[in-house]
């Protein structure tokens, strides 16, 4: 709720410019009505009520104040209470399918592809406060990391914990990752269902063909945005483990099945993007964020409390006081 004060007709305040003119006219008229007489002594004219004569201008001041109050009243002051209520009218359910194969540790994005993706995806999640988001991990097989939820703290915590591990089977099963994501969305009642599938390789494992998974997405009304992650040319990528358990790196050719990713996106009504740098990856997620907007309906209720009556009463009170003083206390001095 927001409360504010306003004047409906502030242009009437220009009438306040009349007040200086009235004051000038009053003092000019008073000077014109003052006569002078030279006498040797004024002792005989002194009275105890001389102070009333000096206070006579108070009548004019009361009238000016009354005029001011009336001007404020016609400017129509009022208090405005505004209440706004928002309602999400088109919810979007989003599943982010993330490739966690060993190649995601390549260092063509800093510090590596997987960490760069996590940073960018985290910002994307924060920009979707009204949507449910889930996470799917895949390499040679796939599983649900986080089911659809509107609790962004859970999603961000799960995203942060994603890392390469040797428990999940090696390889890149794009069809498996896509099928698992479809499975998370098929029961969704949302008006819009979206999968963001990211990979840095080619489909070389899994028992589900990516094209079949795409057809399943179409059947359940799911749109798929695909992202190919990796620079053009060579990249420092892990090629094996050393005796101490750390990866040995070498410069190898970046291979992404862009034809497949484009086909998946086109079949499901989505788009394919190529991210060759962290900056480009940021731009891609910003573009998806613009393409998939959540419709929010805003209801605004406004209550007006008029205040001009109090100024009218004040003006009438001041005029009444002036008349009372004029025909009582100052009766003999008017």
């Amino acid at each position: 709720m927001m409360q504010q004060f306003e004047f409906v007709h502030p242009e009437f305040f220009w009438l306040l410019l009349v007040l200086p003119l009235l004051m000038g006219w009053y003092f000019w008229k008073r000077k014109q009505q003052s006569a002078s007489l030279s006498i040797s002594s004024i002792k005989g004219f002194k009275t105890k009520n001389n102070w009333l004569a000096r206070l006579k201008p108070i009548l004019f001041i009361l009238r000016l104040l009354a005029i001011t109050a009336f001007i404020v009243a016609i400017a129509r002051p009022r208090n405005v209470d505004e209440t706004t209520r928002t309602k999400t009218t088109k919810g979007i359910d989003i599943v982010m399918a993330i490739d966690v194969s060993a190649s995601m540790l390549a260092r063509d994005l800093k510090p590596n592809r997987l960490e760069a993706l996590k940073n960018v995806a985290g910002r994307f999640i924060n920009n979707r406060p009204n949507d449910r988001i889930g996470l799917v991990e895949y390499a040679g097989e796939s599983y649900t990391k986080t089911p659809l939820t509107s609790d962004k703290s859970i999603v961000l915590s799960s995203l942060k914990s994603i890392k390469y591990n040797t428990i999940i089977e090696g390889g890149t099963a794009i069809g498996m990752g896509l099928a698992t994501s479809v499975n998370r969305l098929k029961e969704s009642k949302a008006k819009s269902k979206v999968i963001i599938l990211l990979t840095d390789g080619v489909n070389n494992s899994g028992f589900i063909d990516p094209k079949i998974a795409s057809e399943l997405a179409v059947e359940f009304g799911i749109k798929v945005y695909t992202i190919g992650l990796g620079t053009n040319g060579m990249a420092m990528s892990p090629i094996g483990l050393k005796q101490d358990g750390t990866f040995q790196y070498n410069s190898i050719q970046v291979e992404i099945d862009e034809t497949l990713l484009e086909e998946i996106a086109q079949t499901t009504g989505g788009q394919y993007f190529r991210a060759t740098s962290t900056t480009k990856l940021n731009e891609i997620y910003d573009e998806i964020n613009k393409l998939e907007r959540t419709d929010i309906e805003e209801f605004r209720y406004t209550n007006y409390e008029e205040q001009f009556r109090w100024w009218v009463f004040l003006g009438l009170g001041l005029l009444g006081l002036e008349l009372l003083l004029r025909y009582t206390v100052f009766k003999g001095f008017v």
Side-chain angles (χ1 to χ4, degrees):
M1 180 179 291
M2 182 176 64
Q3 187 177 59
Q4 59 183 4
F5 183 82
E6 69 175 14
F7 290 94
V8 180
H9 304 296
E11 62 273 12
F12 282 107
F13 282 119
W14 287 104
L15 294 175
L16 292 174
L17 295 176
V18 175
L19 299 183
L21 297 177
L22 292 175
M23 292 175 64
W25 173 82
Y26 173 80
F27 288 112
W28 176 81
K29 183 179 178 182
R30 188 180 181 194
K31 185 177 180 181
Q32 291 293 107
Q33 291 177 343
S34 300
S36 59
L37 177 65
S38 299
I39 56 176
S40 59
S41 175
I42 60 171
K43 289 182 179 180
F45 295 95
K46 284 186 178 181
T47 67
K48 295 180 180 179
N49 292 329
N50 256 0
W51 61 275
L52 286 176
R54 296 191 183 96
L55 291 177
K56 180 185 174 184
I58 199 172
L59 300 176
F60 178 71
I61 293 174
L62 288 172
R63 182 164 295 187
L64 288 181
L65 291 176
I67 293 173
T68 302
F70 289 139
I71 291 174
V72 174
I74 62 176
R76 200 175 163 190
R78 65 183 182 184
N79 291 322
V80 182
D81 289 324
E82 192 173 272
T83 302
T84 301
R85 181 170 64 89
T86 58
K87 177 184 177 183
T88 302
T89 58
K90 183 184 177 185
I92 298 178
D93 282 351
I94 302 172
V95 170
M96 304 175 71
I98 300 172
D99 187 345
V100 292
S101 58
S103 59
M104 286 292 287
L105 300 179
R107 296 170 177 169
D108 48 350
L109 277 72
K110 301 299 180 183
N112 58 51
R113 293 172 183 173
L114 185 57
E115 291 302 316
L117 165 65
K118 287 162 61 175
N119 291 334
V120 175
R123 189 168 65 86
F124 174 83
I125 291 168
N126 280 321
N127 288 334
R128 312 294 304 192
N130 301 300
D131 302 321
R132 295 196 306 168
I133 296 178
L135 300 175
V136 166
E137 289 186 19
Y138 72 95
E141 55 186 341
S142 65
Y143 69 95
T144 300
K145 178 72 172 178
T146 306
L148 287 168
T149 177
S150 57
D151 191 332
K152 298 305 182 291
S153 61
I154 293 177
V155 182
L156 289 169
S157 177
S158 297
L159 178 68
K160 187 177 181 180
S161 68
I162 291 177
K163 59 184 179 180
Y164 169 77
N165 62 73
T166 56
I167 298 175
I168 190 169
E169 184 180 332
T172 304
I174 295 175
M176 295 286 289
L178 181 55
T180 301
S181 301
V182 171
N183 191 50
R184 299 314 312 179
L185 285 168
K186 67 180 183 180
E187 302 296 334
S188 169
K189 302 299 181 183
K191 292 184 178 181
S192 183
K193 294 175 281 189
V194 172
I195 293 173
I196 302 175
L197 185 143
L198 183 140
T199 185
D200 67 343
V202 297
N203 185 66
N204 55 22
S205 352
F207 56 84
I208 298 180
D209 189 286
K211 295 180 181 180
I212 294 176
S214 300
E215 292 171 1
L216 288 173
V218 173
E219 182 178 346
F220 291 107
I222 300 170
K223 187 186 299 182
V224 182
Y225 291 99
T226 55
I227 302 174
L229 183 62
T231 58
N232 294 311
M234 311 294 286
M236 291 298 295
S237 304
I239 58 173
L241 290 172
K242 299 179 183 177
Q243 290 184 350
D244 60 2
T246 61
F247 276 103
Q248 180 179 354
Y249 281 81
N250 200 356
S251 180
I252 63 174
Q253 182 70 36
V254 175
E255 293 184 10
I256 300 174
D257 193 343
E258 294 191 89
T259 302
L260 174 62
L261 296 179
E262 287 175 351
E263 185 177 344
I264 292 172
Q266 185 177 4
T267 300
T268 61
Q271 290 187 35
Y272 167 67
F273 302 93
R274 178 68 186 271
T276 55
S277 65
T278 303
T279 301
K280 185 63 178 176
L281 186 61
N282 267 302
E283 292 173 357
I284 290 169
Y285 272 94
D286 285 342
E287 181 67 18
I288 296 173
N289 192 42
K290 293 175 184 176
L291 291 170
E292 296 296 333
R293 301 303 300 173
T294 302
D295 293 339
I296 298 176
E297 189 173 358
E298 183 177 89
F299 299 91
R300 184 169 294 178
Y301 305 93
T302 306
N303 181 52
Y304 299 103
E305 184 183 357
E306 300 290 349
Q307 300 293 323
F308 70 90
R309 296 179 185 86
W310 300 108
W311 292 94
V312 173
F313 294 150
L314 176 61
L316 292 174
L318 291 169
L319 279 181
L321 179 60
E322 187 225 346
L323 291 173
L324 178 65
L325 294 176
R326 181 180 295 273
Y327 294 107
T328 57
V329 177
F330 294 98
K331 185 176 182 181
F333 298 90
V334 179

